[in-house]
Amino acid sequence: MVFHDEIDLAAAKVRVKTGGGVAGHNGLRSISAHVGNDYRRVRIGVGHPGVKELVHPHVLSDFAKSEKPWVEALCDIIADNAELLAKGQDASFQNKVHLAMESKGFVETKQRDEPDKD
């Protein structure tokens, strides 16, 4: 199980998947070189800076002070629900994390007829 930042997910969103490419992520590239691509990943959204040239500074910098509340809440919620990952209950883990973050006001509620952007 690998936990990693994901610029293709909105900040504070979490997705779990098995396998896949590295999408330019140097940490994933290194891990995949040693164990192959078929491992479980917890993708933690950090958002995209909007411009390709700002990606490296964005992912290599510390979080802004204004982001501290959602980052700390998300870390606590992930830790509180990690047992579900250990049991292979990835969908339940994802759902519980989303609902907990939503209840704290850190993710937007999707309207029923609004398509998922992920």
Side-chain angles (χ1 to χ4, degrees), residues 17-111:
K17 74 176 201 173
T18 300
V22 298
H25 194 292
N26 289 331
L28 294 179
R29 182 176 289 116
S30 178
I31 292 166
S32 294
H34 292 282
V35 300
N37 285 329
D38 196 29
Y39 53 89
R40 288 169 60 213
R41 308 158 189 224
V42 177
R43 303 164 59 219
I44 301 171
V46 295
H48 195 287
V51 180
K52 183 179 178 180
E53 293 76 23
L54 296 178
V55 169
H56 280 128
H58 178 69
V59 298
L60 296 176
S61 298
D62 291 338
F63 287 101
K65 287 182 183 179
S66 62
E67 296 175 302
K68 185 177 179 178
W70 76 257
V71 172
E72 289 182 347
L74 184 58
C75 288
D76 289 344
I77 292 165
I78 288 172
D80 290 345
N81 291 283
E83 182 178 359
L84 294 170
L85 292 172
K87 292 178 179 179
Q89 298 174 358
D90 297 351
S92 292
F93 169 81
Q94 244 178 225
N95 189 47
K96 287 190 180 268
V97 170
H98 174 78
L99 292 174
M101 289 297 284
E102 185 178 67
S103 74
K104 294 180 179 290
F106 292 118
V107 294
E108 294 180 19
T109 304
K110 184 176 78 171
Q111 299 300 318

